[in-house]
């Protein structure tokens, strides 16, 4: 199967690998199912994170590579929260993000970006360390928000995915760049899909 896939990649003239192709498919299925609040999306998220750990290592996007470990863990957490979270342990419902979290998120974003960007830029051969770090921190926040079904996670994903589309195209990951363009469109769809089910935020 891999030989057939490699031949197809060569014929199409794509600068990619079988792992990136499988990661593309798993990622697209994951986000699509998440927009529908289908818990199986987290399973494909786990597969996606494993595949992209190696893909990002190859192109020296170390912040993105380390992010995959977080995706792996939060996919398990999100799976559990969607099934058993909430006060009654029957799964969390879509709600707005509690206002008290916004200041914390802002601190984590700006502080985390500067710290991680500095460390990567000065102690590794990382590429585009501050941009990569900013998008990584934004993704950390959005992923946790998705696990809690806070609807604003989609707004963060929309912005992050637009920048990721350009970043990965610049790094020669054309297929992944296309994937993140698809992610952008799915995030827009997800926001409106979830908006129909939104409930007031409650402590969980």
């Amino acid at each position: 199967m891999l030989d057939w896939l490699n031949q197809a990649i060569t014929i199409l003239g794509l600068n990619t690998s079988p792992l990136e192709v499988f990661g593309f498919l798993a990622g697209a299925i994951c986000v699509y199912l998440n927009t529908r609040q289908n818990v199986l999306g987290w399973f494909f998220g786990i597969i996606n994170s494993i595949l992209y750990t190696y893909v990002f290592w190859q192109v020296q996007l170390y912040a993105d590579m380390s992010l995959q470990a977080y995706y792996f863990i939060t996919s398990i957490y999100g799976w559990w929260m969607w099934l058993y979270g909430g006060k009654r342990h029957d799964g969390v419902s879509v709600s707005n993000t509690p206002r008290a979290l916004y200041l914390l998120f802002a601190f984590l974003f700006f502080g985390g970006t500067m710290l991680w960007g500095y460390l990567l830029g000065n102690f590794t051969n990382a590429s585009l360390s501050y941009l990569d770090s900013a998008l990584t921190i934004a993704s950390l926040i959005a992923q946790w928000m998705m696990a809690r079904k806070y609807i604003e996670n989609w707004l963060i994903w929309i912005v992050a995915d637009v920048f990721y589309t350009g970043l990965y195209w610049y790094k020669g990951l054309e297929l992944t760049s296309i994937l993140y363009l698809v992610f952008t469109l799915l995030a827009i769809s997800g926001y409106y899909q979830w908006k129909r089910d939104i409930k007031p935020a409650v402590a969980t």
Side-chain angles (χ1 to χ4, degrees), residues 157-174:
W157 281 126
I158 290 168
V159 175
D161 290 342
V162 167
F163 279 95
Y164 269 131
T165 299
L167 172 64
Y168 294 143
W169 189 270
Y170 173 77
K171 292 299 297 182
L173 297 173
E174 288 92 351

PDB file of all heavy atoms in Angstrom, residues 157-174:
ATOM      1  N   TRP A 157      -9.357  28.756  16.814  1.00  0.00           N
ATOM      2  CA  TRP A 157      -8.902  27.851  15.749  1.00  0.00           C
ATOM      3  C   TRP A 157      -8.949  28.530  14.383  1.00  0.00           C
ATOM      4  O   TRP A 157      -8.060  28.312  13.548  1.00  0.00           O
ATOM      5  CB  TRP A 157      -9.751  26.584  15.716  1.00  0.00           C
ATOM      6  CG  TRP A 157      -9.421  25.556  16.748  1.00  0.00           C
ATOM      7  CD1 TRP A 157     -10.273  24.988  17.650  1.00  0.00           C
ATOM      8  CD2 TRP A 157      -8.139  24.954  16.992  1.00  0.00           C
ATOM      9  NE1 TRP A 157      -9.609  24.077  18.433  1.00  0.00           N
ATOM     10  CE2 TRP A 157      -8.300  24.030  18.045  1.00  0.00           C
ATOM     11  CE3 TRP A 157      -6.879  25.115  16.417  1.00  0.00           C
ATOM     12  CZ2 TRP A 157      -7.249  23.266  18.550  1.00  0.00           C
ATOM     13  CZ3 TRP A 157      -5.826  24.352  16.899  1.00  0.00           C
ATOM     14  CH2 TRP A 157      -6.013  23.447  17.951  1.00  0.00           C
ATOM     15  N   ILE A 158      -9.961  29.336  14.134  1.00  0.00           N
ATOM     16  CA  ILE A 158     -10.059  30.010  12.836  1.00  0.00           C
ATOM     17  C   ILE A 158      -8.832  30.870  12.594  1.00  0.00           C
ATOM     18  O   ILE A 158      -8.188  30.798  11.535  1.00  0.00           O
ATOM     19  CB  ILE A 158     -11.345  30.853  12.762  1.00  0.00           C
ATOM     20  CG1 ILE A 158     -12.584  29.944  12.696  1.00  0.00           C
ATOM     21  CG2 ILE A 158     -11.312  31.779  11.543  1.00  0.00           C
ATOM     22  CD1 ILE A 158     -13.893  30.677  12.920  1.00  0.00           C
ATOM     23  N   VAL A 159      -8.477  31.696  13.587  1.00  0.00           N
ATOM     24  CA  VAL A 159      -7.317  32.584  13.448  1.00  0.00           C
ATOM     25  C   VAL A 159      -6.029  31.770  13.334  1.00  0.00           C
ATOM     26  O   VAL A 159      -5.197  32.004  12.449  1.00  0.00           O
ATOM     27  CB  VAL A 159      -7.232  33.555  14.637  1.00  0.00           C
ATOM     28  CG1 VAL A 159      -5.963  34.401  14.551  1.00  0.00           C
ATOM     29  CG2 VAL A 159      -8.467  34.456  14.674  1.00  0.00           C
ATOM     30  N   ALA A 160      -5.858  30.791  14.230  1.00  0.00           N
ATOM     31  CA  ALA A 160      -4.636  29.986  14.219  1.00  0.00           C
ATOM     32  C   ALA A 160      -4.483  29.212  12.917  1.00  0.00           C
ATOM     33  O   ALA A 160      -3.385  29.137  12.341  1.00  0.00           O
ATOM     34  CB  ALA A 160      -4.628  29.034  15.409  1.00  0.00           C
ATOM     35  N   ASP A 161      -5.568  28.639  12.432  1.00  0.00           N
ATOM     36  CA  ASP A 161      -5.500  27.818  11.217  1.00  0.00           C
ATOM     37  C   ASP A 161      -5.159  28.644   9.979  1.00  0.00           C
ATOM     38  O   ASP A 161      -4.485  28.155   9.065  1.00  0.00           O
ATOM     39  CB  ASP A 161      -6.819  27.075  11.004  1.00  0.00           C
ATOM     40  CG  ASP A 161      -7.047  25.980  12.028  1.00  0.00           C
ATOM     41  OD1 ASP A 161      -6.070  25.572  12.676  1.00  0.00           O
ATOM     42  OD2 ASP A 161      -8.200  25.534  12.179  1.00  0.00           O
ATOM     43  N   VAL A 162      -5.620  29.897   9.945  1.00  0.00           N
ATOM     44  CA  VAL A 162      -5.249  30.774   8.827  1.00  0.00           C
ATOM     45  C   VAL A 162      -3.737  30.972   8.798  1.00  0.00           C
ATOM     46  O   VAL A 162      -3.092  30.862   7.744  1.00  0.00           O
ATOM     47  CB  VAL A 162      -5.977  32.127   8.935  1.00  0.00           C
ATOM     48  CG1 VAL A 162      -5.370  33.141   7.972  1.00  0.00           C
ATOM     49  CG2 VAL A 162      -7.462  31.966   8.646  1.00  0.00           C
ATOM     50  N   PHE A 163      -3.152  31.247   9.965  1.00  0.00           N
ATOM     51  CA  PHE A 163      -1.698  31.437  10.031  1.00  0.00           C
ATOM     52  C   PHE A 163      -0.956  30.127   9.777  1.00  0.00           C
ATOM     53  O   PHE A 163       0.088  30.111   9.117  1.00  0.00           O
ATOM     54  CB  PHE A 163      -1.303  32.012  11.392  1.00  0.00           C
ATOM     55  CG  PHE A 163      -1.497  33.491  11.498  1.00  0.00           C
ATOM     56  CD1 PHE A 163      -2.654  34.013  12.040  1.00  0.00           C
ATOM     57  CD2 PHE A 163      -0.524  34.372  11.040  1.00  0.00           C
ATOM     58  CE1 PHE A 163      -2.850  35.389  12.134  1.00  0.00           C
ATOM     59  CE2 PHE A 163      -0.700  35.738  11.123  1.00  0.00           C
ATOM     60  CZ  PHE A 163      -1.866  36.260  11.676  1.00  0.00           C
ATOM     61  N   TYR A 164      -1.483  29.026  10.297  1.00  0.00           N
ATOM     62  CA  TYR A 164      -0.851  27.729  10.055  1.00  0.00           C
ATOM     63  C   TYR A 164      -0.842  27.388   8.563  1.00  0.00           C
ATOM     64  O   TYR A 164       0.123  26.795   8.067  1.00  0.00           O
ATOM     65  CB  TYR A 164      -1.594  26.625  10.810  1.00  0.00           C
ATOM     66  CG  TYR A 164      -1.074  26.354  12.189  1.00  0.00           C
ATOM     67  CD1 TYR A 164      -1.956  26.289  13.277  1.00  0.00           C
ATOM     68  CD2 TYR A 164       0.279  26.125  12.427  1.00  0.00           C
ATOM     69  CE1 TYR A 164      -1.483  26.014  14.555  1.00  0.00           C
ATOM     70  CE2 TYR A 164       0.756  25.852  13.691  1.00  0.00           C
ATOM     71  CZ  TYR A 164      -0.134  25.800  14.754  1.00  0.00           C
ATOM     72  OH  TYR A 164       0.339  25.525  16.016  1.00  0.00           O
ATOM     73  N   THR A 165      -1.890  27.755   7.851  1.00  0.00           N
ATOM     74  CA  THR A 165      -1.948  27.487   6.410  1.00  0.00           C
ATOM     75  C   THR A 165      -0.752  28.123   5.706  1.00  0.00           C
ATOM     76  O   THR A 165      -0.082  27.478   4.880  1.00  0.00           O
ATOM     77  CB  THR A 165      -3.269  28.025   5.820  1.00  0.00           C
ATOM     78  OG1 THR A 165      -4.370  27.361   6.445  1.00  0.00           O
ATOM     79  CG2 THR A 165      -3.321  27.796   4.310  1.00  0.00           C
ATOM     80  N   GLY A 166      -0.465  29.378   6.037  1.00  0.00           N
ATOM     81  CA  GLY A 166       0.677  30.063   5.436  1.00  0.00           C
ATOM     82  C   GLY A 166       2.008  29.502   5.905  1.00  0.00           C
ATOM     83  O   GLY A 166       2.949  29.359   5.113  1.00  0.00           O
ATOM     84  N   LEU A 167       2.102  29.183   7.203  1.00  0.00           N
ATOM     85  CA  LEU A 167       3.352  28.663   7.758  1.00  0.00           C
ATOM     86  C   LEU A 167       3.757  27.351   7.110  1.00  0.00           C
ATOM     87  O   LEU A 167       4.914  27.167   6.701  1.00  0.00           O
ATOM     88  CB  LEU A 167       3.198  28.481   9.273  1.00  0.00           C
ATOM     89  CG  LEU A 167       4.354  27.774   9.997  1.00  0.00           C
ATOM     90  CD1 LEU A 167       5.636  28.598   9.896  1.00  0.00           C
ATOM     91  CD2 LEU A 167       3.993  27.512  11.457  1.00  0.00           C
ATOM     92  N   TYR A 168       2.821  26.436   6.992  1.00  0.00           N
ATOM     93  CA  TYR A 168       3.163  25.125   6.454  1.00  0.00           C
ATOM     94  C   TYR A 168       3.437  25.173   4.950  1.00  0.00           C
ATOM     95  O   TYR A 168       4.250  24.394   4.439  1.00  0.00           O
ATOM     96  CB  TYR A 168       2.046  24.116   6.763  1.00  0.00           C
ATOM     97  CG  TYR A 168       1.900  23.848   8.244  1.00  0.00           C
ATOM     98  CD1 TYR A 168       0.646  23.657   8.825  1.00  0.00           C
ATOM     99  CD2 TYR A 168       3.015  23.792   9.072  1.00  0.00           C
ATOM    100  CE1 TYR A 168       0.525  23.415  10.181  1.00  0.00           C
ATOM    101  CE2 TYR A 168       2.901  23.559  10.422  1.00  0.00           C
ATOM    102  CZ  TYR A 168       1.650  23.367  10.981  1.00  0.00           C
ATOM    103  OH  TYR A 168       1.536  23.131  12.319  1.00  0.00           O
ATOM    104  N   TRP A 169       2.782  26.077   4.262  1.00  0.00           N
ATOM    105  CA  TRP A 169       3.103  26.244   2.837  1.00  0.00           C
ATOM    106  C   TRP A 169       4.534  26.758   2.691  1.00  0.00           C
ATOM    107  O   TRP A 169       5.293  26.286   1.836  1.00  0.00           O
ATOM    108  CB  TRP A 169       2.116  27.208   2.185  1.00  0.00           C
ATOM    109  CG  TRP A 169       2.251  27.246   0.688  1.00  0.00           C
ATOM    110  CD1 TRP A 169       3.044  28.074  -0.060  1.00  0.00           C
ATOM    111  CD2 TRP A 169       1.581  26.388  -0.253  1.00  0.00           C
ATOM    112  NE1 TRP A 169       2.912  27.795  -1.391  1.00  0.00           N
ATOM    113  CE2 TRP A 169       2.021  26.765  -1.540  1.00  0.00           C
ATOM    114  CE3 TRP A 169       0.648  25.354  -0.122  1.00  0.00           C
ATOM    115  CZ2 TRP A 169       1.553  26.131  -2.689  1.00  0.00           C
ATOM    116  CZ3 TRP A 169       0.193  24.736  -1.257  1.00  0.00           C
ATOM    117  CH2 TRP A 169       0.650  25.128  -2.530  1.00  0.00           C
ATOM    118  N   TYR A 170       4.895  27.705   3.531  1.00  0.00           N
ATOM    119  CA  TYR A 170       6.256  28.262   3.513  1.00  0.00           C
ATOM    120  C   TYR A 170       7.303  27.185   3.822  1.00  0.00           C
ATOM    121  O   TYR A 170       8.393  27.175   3.238  1.00  0.00           O
ATOM    122  CB  TYR A 170       6.351  29.392   4.535  1.00  0.00           C
ATOM    123  CG  TYR A 170       7.748  29.937   4.729  1.00  0.00           C
ATOM    124  CD1 TYR A 170       8.319  30.805   3.789  1.00  0.00           C
ATOM    125  CD2 TYR A 170       8.501  29.581   5.846  1.00  0.00           C
ATOM    126  CE1 TYR A 170       9.600  31.297   3.964  1.00  0.00           C
ATOM    127  CE2 TYR A 170       9.779  30.068   6.028  1.00  0.00           C
ATOM    128  CZ  TYR A 170      10.332  30.922   5.085  1.00  0.00           C
ATOM    129  OH  TYR A 170      11.603  31.407   5.267  1.00  0.00           O
ATOM    130  N   LYS A 171       6.976  26.245   4.713  1.00  0.00           N
ATOM    131  CA  LYS A 171       7.906  25.199   5.101  1.00  0.00           C
ATOM    132  C   LYS A 171       7.902  24.019   4.137  1.00  0.00           C
ATOM    133  O   LYS A 171       8.603  23.036   4.347  1.00  0.00           O
ATOM    134  CB  LYS A 171       7.574  24.700   6.513  1.00  0.00           C
ATOM    135  CG  LYS A 171       7.847  25.724   7.596  1.00  0.00           C
ATOM    136  CD  LYS A 171       9.301  26.128   7.668  1.00  0.00           C
ATOM    137  CE  LYS A 171      10.199  24.993   8.037  1.00  0.00           C
ATOM    138  NZ  LYS A 171      11.631  25.398   8.150  1.00  0.00           N
ATOM    139  N   GLY A 172       7.118  24.094   3.071  1.00  0.00           N
ATOM    140  CA  GLY A 172       7.117  23.029   2.078  1.00  0.00           C
ATOM    141  C   GLY A 172       6.182  21.881   2.389  1.00  0.00           C
ATOM    142  O   GLY A 172       6.232  20.845   1.710  1.00  0.00           O
ATOM    143  N   LEU A 173       5.323  22.051   3.392  1.00  0.00           N
ATOM    144  CA  LEU A 173       4.343  21.018   3.718  1.00  0.00           C
ATOM    145  C   LEU A 173       3.017  21.382   3.042  1.00  0.00           C
ATOM    146  O   LEU A 173       2.045  21.766   3.682  1.00  0.00           O
ATOM    147  CB  LEU A 173       4.158  20.917   5.235  1.00  0.00           C
ATOM    148  CG  LEU A 173       5.385  20.490   6.043  1.00  0.00           C
ATOM    149  CD1 LEU A 173       5.110  20.595   7.541  1.00  0.00           C
ATOM    150  CD2 LEU A 173       5.798  19.056   5.682  1.00  0.00           C
ATOM    151  N   GLU A 174       3.003  21.253   1.711  1.00  0.00           N
ATOM    152  CA  GLU A 174       1.849  21.724   0.947  1.00  0.00           C
ATOM    153  C   GLU A 174       0.559  21.010   1.335  1.00  0.00           C
ATOM    154  O   GLU A 174      -0.498  21.636   1.458  1.00  0.00           O
ATOM    155  CB  GLU A 174       2.087  21.557  -0.564  1.00  0.00           C
ATOM    156  CG  GLU A 174       3.093  22.531  -1.149  1.00  0.00           C
ATOM    157  CD  GLU A 174       4.503  21.975  -1.154  1.00  0.00           C
ATOM    158  OE1 GLU A 174       4.717  20.890  -0.542  1.00  0.00           O
ATOM    159  OE2 GLU A 174       5.395  22.595  -1.769  1.00  0.00           O
TER     160      GLU A 174
END
